[in-house]
Amino acid sequence: MKTAELIDDYLARLATAARGLPADRRAELMDEIREHISVALEENPPEGEADVRNILDRLGPPEGIVREAAGGDTIAARRTPFLQSPGVAVVTVLLLLAGGIVVPLLGWLVGVVLLWAGGRWSTTDRLIGTLLWPGGLAPAAYVLLFATRSCVSGPGQPETCTGTPAWMMGPLFLGPALVVPVVVAGYLLRRAARAG
Amino acid sequence: MEPGDAQNLLTQMRRGALPYCVLALLRGDPRYGVEIVRLLGAVEGMVTSEGTIYPMLARLRRQGLVDTTWQESASGPPRRYYRLTPAGRKALTAFSAEWQRFKDGVDHFVKGAA
């Protein structure tokens, strides 16, 4: 039915335009506009597509409604829209994953700061992103690139080894250290996309 | 001062006064969204985009000037009804007095009494 499509289309445009709003305000706005449309349709049952178009035209462009919802209330705005943008989300995940390789520790820490400052993740997501896996891929990368281990043994003496501990160079460490950050990165990206 | 300035000024004034018009509409019985929008729309030029009334109502709610209740409707989905809070009533009274003073002041010059 064309009228249902018109309404769904309008609500989809509204949802997209409202991406920058805090989640609770966005949900509230969507509910109220949806209620307006259904009440308006109930009071004046539409006789055709034109009637439905009329209701939506009188509501006005979704972008204008969102602008009204965003403005005039500087105290209540919790986060800057920039930190909620999808580009920043991608950069955050990249820094968490590989920032520690490029700039040891600091690169990853910047990713952690952005993870917690950005508006797109729940606290659970952020804890996952921080604790699994600390340093991202950097620890595994450093072991693979720079780990050396030399062992000396003499007759009648136990083998003594210096350098990277053996357990760190083995698959039980390297396996998860490589796989978990990548999996968590994908998870964070998917959660960020769904929040938008 | 450009000739177009009057238009801009009136747009701004309308934006400023509109929330108080909404408060005034809620002086009596609680009203629901579509009803408020329809009553505002009865005066030409008050509302260009009906949808913008809802963020305004949400803002009034956040400021504690209106609150909302849900009421079942006989034939359709439940509706959100808006009504004034005591703070809202006070704000409306204060605006009423200021508006009257302002209107009289401007009229004094524009209507040529001076």
Side-chain angles (χ1 to χ4, degrees):
Chain A
M1 189 174 51
K2 195 62 163 65
T3 54
E5 268 178 41
L6 281 174
I7 296 170
D8 286 342
D9 217 54
Y10 183 88
L11 290 172
R13 277 171 57 201
L14 182 63
T16 304
R19 282 161 77 92
L21 293 177
D24 55 352
R25 219 183 282 193
R26 180 174 65 234
E28 186 181 71
L29 181 64
M30 295 297 303
D31 284 344
E32 288 172 348
I33 299 297
R34 239 181 259 124
E35 183 185 315
H36 173 100
I37 293 175
S38 65
V39 171
L41 289 175
E42 183 206 336
E43 293 194 335
N44 285 315
E47 299 186 356
E49 203 178 292
D51 288 343
V52 174
R53 256 188 228 282
N54 183 260
I55 292 177
L56 298 177
D57 287 345
R58 277 166 42 194
L59 270 178
E63 294 75 24
I65 300 177
V66 171
R67 215 174 309 132
E68 180 69 31
D73 203 285
T74 47
I75 307 164
R78 292 179 306 167
R79 298 187 223 275
T80 57
F82 169 72
L83 285 176
Q84 286 202 310
S85 67
V88 172
V90 173
V91 168
T92 306
V93 172
L94 282 177
L95 281 173
L96 284 172
L97 198 57
I101 302 176
V102 177
V103 180
L105 192 59
L106 206 56
W108 177 75
L109 279 178
V110 172
V112 173
V113 168
L114 283 178
L115 176 69
W116 286 87
R120 300 180 82 89
W121 290 292
S122 66
T123 305
T124 311
D125 291 341
R126 289 164 171 156
L127 282 172
I128 292 175
T130 311
L131 298 174
L132 293 177
W133 179 276
L137 285 173
Y142 272 97
V143 168
L144 287 173
L145 292 174
F146 300 120
T148 53
R149 184 177 174 75
S150 53
C151 298
V152 184
S153 63
Q157 280 180 321
E159 188 183 58
T160 52
C161 297
T162 54
T164 311
W167 65 268
M168 274 185 93
M169 296 173 69
L172 278 180
F173 173 79
L174 283 177
L178 284 171
V179 169
V180 170
V182 175
V183 168
V184 170
Y187 168 79
L188 287 175
L189 282 176
R190 225 201 9 237
R191 296 285 291 172
R194 199 173 309 157
Chain B
M1 209 164 65
E2 306 282 330
D5 282 353
Q7 190 64 274
N8 280 337
L9 172 66
L10 283 171
T11 307
Q12 286 188 37
M13 289 179 64
R14 200 169 290 133
R15 254 191 77 91
L18 199 53
Y20 292 99
C21 297
V22 170
L23 292 182
L25 279 177
L26 299 176
R27 247 201 294 254
D29 291 332
R31 297 199 139 125
Y32 59 97
V34 170
E35 194 183 357
I36 295 172
V37 160
R38 186 179 41 225
L39 289 166
L40 286 173
V43 174
E44 185 174 334
M46 283 310 287
V47 187
T48 43
S49 160
E50 290 183 353
T52 59
I53 300 302
Y54 290 96
M56 182 189 305
L57 285 165
R59 197 149 42 232
L60 291 172
R61 191 163 68 239
R62 274 196 297 277
Q63 292 169 327
L65 301 177
V66 309
D67 63 28
T68 61
T69 54
W70 290 96
Q71 283 188 35
E72 296 294 328
S73 146
S75 49
R79 299 176 183 183
R80 183 175 242 167
Y81 277 75
Y82 297 84
R83 61 175 180 205
L84 283 185
T85 61
R89 225 168 268 282
K90 236 185 293 198
L92 177 59
T93 309
F95 172 80
S96 248
E98 283 302 315
W99 170 251
Q100 191 60 48
R101 245 194 302 274
F102 175 69
K103 197 160 57 130
D104 290 344
V106 173
D107 276 344
H108 177 78
F109 297 99
V110 169
K111 288 204 170 145

